[in-house]
Amino acid sequence: MSERARLTRLTGNGNGECGQGDCPHVYLTESGSFIVQGDISHAFTPPDGEGLVEIPEAILKEAIRALGW
C-alpha cells in the first residue's frame, strides 16, 4: 500500500473551492498528525527538512468540519 493510500483526506468532498482535483488538501495520518498540501510559500526560509505551504482558509475550515471539531 502506498504512503498516500494510508492517509485520510479530510478535504475535497466537492463542497470546497477545489472539489476532487489535486489541489490544496489536509490529510490525517494513521498516527493522528496532519499533512497539508498546498502552494509553496516563500514567506521565510524554514529550517532544513521543513517546508512551507500556503492553503486557503476554506480548506482548513473544511478539515475542521470533517473532524467534527
Side-chain angles (χ1 to χ4, degrees), residues 44-52:
F44 64 90
T45 302
D48 286 344
E50 296 183 4
L52 303 176

Side-chain angles (χ1 to χ4, degrees), residues 27-55:
Y27 298 87
L28 182 63
T29 69
E30 291 176 328
S31 66
S33 62
F34 298 94
I35 295 185
V36 179
Q37 173 188 347
D39 295 329
I40 295 172
S41 173
H42 299 287
F44 64 90
T45 302
D48 286 344
E50 296 183 4
L52 303 176
V53 297
E54 184 174 342
I55 61 170

Side-chain angles (χ1 to χ4, degrees), residues 4-42:
R4 188 172 185 167
R6 295 177 184 200
L7 302 175
T8 300
R9 190 166 79 178
L10 300 175
T11 58
N13 61 13
N15 295 330
E17 63 187 60
C18 275
Q20 296 296 326
D22 197 23
C23 52
H25 286 297
V26 177
Y27 298 87
L28 182 63
T29 69
E30 291 176 328
S31 66
S33 62
F34 298 94
I35 295 185
V36 179
Q37 173 188 347
D39 295 329
I40 295 172
S41 173
H42 299 287

